[in-house]
Amino acid sequence: MKLTAYSIQKLKEIISGDLGLTPYQSGSNLVALFNSFGSREVYNGSLPDGLSRNKYAEKKLLEINETDNLTKIIEFIVSPAYFNGSELDAKEAVHFINQIINEEKYNLSLIGGAYQITGNIAEAKQEVKNQVHFEQIQKQILAELDKARFTIWIAVAWFTDPVLFSKLIEKKKQGLNVQILIINDAINSRSGIDFESHFQIIRLKPTGYFGNITHHKFCVIDLERVINGSYNWTVKAQYNDENITIMEDRRVAQEFAEKFLAIKTE
């Protein structure tokens, strides 16, 4: 995401919280916030270089301009997790931000219960990362779920793993939008997991003369990362010879998200 210096100057107070549209951030909180998006600084009673909170926010936004971290931090400051415990309404912050970024052909859009940047995403210098795993796959999935900030969309044939289920409950309590698609069969029915009491879930019935089933095994996280491979989210899968690929690629993630929505509405 690439913004002009003028737009970044306008956004600094939405980051600091001085406009009263987002939670107020102290100097130490601002350092911690930007450290979450690639910075590596220490707060020792004052901000680096003696900067004011707003000047520091502006400086750090300029540093991550033209990178995917600019997209991520803007999405984060309007997320349910960021507003947790606050009486402020994120919609007002979104309206203010859109007034600025719309001029540069970007928009914060509500997608799957979370605000996401849409528009000239191709201009962002996103580093595409792919990781392939053949061992400790459940551990790798848990690590990716821990990093989720907005949305988790899962489409797997079978889901019987109570550990992964518990992690999803934890993420939902943080305010994330969690949706699940699984097939409607005896294996999932006998799992003992009560999905319906916690999540938006669709149990997909076999279709056609031959009882064709949805056999996907993917998870879309924050419309930025995808977990895909042979691994069903089951207890048994932990003992099989399986694989997953974790793809950190916004374009690929959006393609999987479109497929998720297509399955959901079929």
Side-chain angles (χ1 to χ4, degrees), residues 67-87:
T67 76
D68 202 43
N69 277 332
L70 182 59
T71 300
K72 291 178 179 179
I73 198 169
I74 292 175
E75 291 174 342
F76 178 68
I77 64 168
V78 293
S79 69
Y82 196 72
F83 278 78
N84 187 32
S86 170
E87 296 181 357

Side-chain angles (χ1 to χ4, degrees), residues 15-47:
I15 296 289
S16 68
D18 281 1
L19 290 177
L21 300 176
T22 51
Y24 177 88
Q25 299 300 316
S26 65
S28 59
N29 285 344
L30 283 173
V31 170
L33 174 64
F34 282 102
N35 281 350
S36 298
F37 295 94
S39 184
R40 290 293 179 270
E41 294 185 323
V42 177
Y43 182 82
N44 289 318
S46 62
L47 289 166

Side-chain angles (χ1 to χ4, degrees), residues 4-266:
T4 62
Y6 174 79
S7 291
I8 286 178
Q9 192 274 337
K10 298 278 285 185
L11 287 172
K12 65 184 180 184
E13 291 182 309
I14 202 79
I15 296 289
S16 68
D18 281 1
L19 290 177
L21 300 176
T22 51
Y24 177 88
Q25 299 300 316
S26 65
S28 59
N29 285 344
L30 283 173
V31 170
L33 174 64
F34 282 102
N35 281 350
S36 298
F37 295 94
S39 184
R40 290 293 179 270
E41 294 185 323
V42 177
Y43 182 82
N44 289 318
S46 62
L47 289 166
D49 302 320
L51 295 173
S52 67
R53 291 169 43 260
N54 285 318
K55 284 295 185 182
Y56 178 77
E58 183 177 5
K59 175 178 179 286
K60 302 308 292 185
L61 288 173
L62 286 169
E63 288 178 3
I64 61 176
N65 195 20
E66 297 189 65
T67 76
D68 202 43
N69 277 332
L70 182 59
T71 300
K72 291 178 179 179
I73 198 169
I74 292 175
E75 291 174 342
F76 178 68
I77 64 168
V78 293
S79 69
Y82 196 72
F83 278 78
N84 187 32
S86 170
E87 296 181 357
L88 297 172
D89 188 347
K91 291 180 181 178
E92 295 183 12
V94 169
H95 177 70
F96 177 84
I97 294 170
N98 275 337
Q99 285 182 312
I100 298 169
I101 66 175
N102 284 173
E103 295 296 321
E104 306 198 36
K105 299 181 181 179
Y106 295 98
N107 191 71
L108 272 170
S109 305
L110 189 61
I111 302 173
Y115 287 103
Q116 306 282 336
I117 294 284
T118 58
N120 292 332
I121 298 301
E123 294 184 8
K125 296 178 181 177
Q126 181 193 22
E127 181 182 357
V128 175
K129 299 178 183 177
N130 294 322
Q131 304 173 44
V132 179
H133 298 281
F134 301 98
E135 306 290 339
Q136 296 185 314
I137 292 178
Q138 184 202 61
K139 180 180 178 180
Q140 300 298 334
I141 293 173
L142 288 169
E144 292 304 312
L145 295 178
D146 269 331
K147 293 187 287 185
R149 297 173 294 133
F150 309 120
T151 58
I152 301 172
W153 294 355
I154 302 157
V156 293
W158 295 286
F159 190 151
T160 66
D161 187 335
V163 175
L164 294 176
F165 175 70
S166 296
K167 176 59 66 177
L168 292 177
I169 291 178
E170 175 186 325
K171 299 306 290 187
K172 184 188 175 186
K173 289 179 179 178
Q174 293 173 11
L176 277 71
N177 175 269
V178 180
Q179 299 184 39
I180 303 171
L181 306 178
I182 58 175
I183 61 174
N184 187 13
D185 74 345
I187 294 175
N188 285 322
S189 297
R190 293 198 301 261
S191 70
I193 296 177
D194 184 10
F195 292 103
E196 282 78 3
S197 293
H198 300 278
F199 307 115
Q200 182 178 346
I201 179 169
I202 296 178
R203 295 180 183 263
L204 303 163
K205 296 179 180 180
T207 61
Y209 180 80
F210 295 102
N212 302 317
I213 64 171
T214 297
H215 209 243
H216 292 291
K217 304 169 187 69
F218 68 82
C219 173
V220 183
I221 298 175
D222 295 337
L223 295 183
E224 294 177 349
R225 300 191 306 284
V226 177
I227 304 170
N228 187 43
S230 69
Y231 191 87
N232 274 298
W233 291 26
T234 63
V235 175
K236 182 180 179 182
Q238 297 176 60
Y239 307 100
N240 294 339
D241 191 5
E242 305 273 6
N243 71 83
I244 59 167
T245 300
I246 301 170
M247 296 168 280
E248 190 170 339
D249 185 325
R250 184 181 287 265
R251 180 187 61 79
V252 170
Q254 290 184 353
E255 289 183 12
F256 272 93
E258 288 172 0
K259 182 60 179 177
F260 181 94
L261 293 174
I263 298 170
K264 181 180 172 181
T265 56
E266 284 176 354

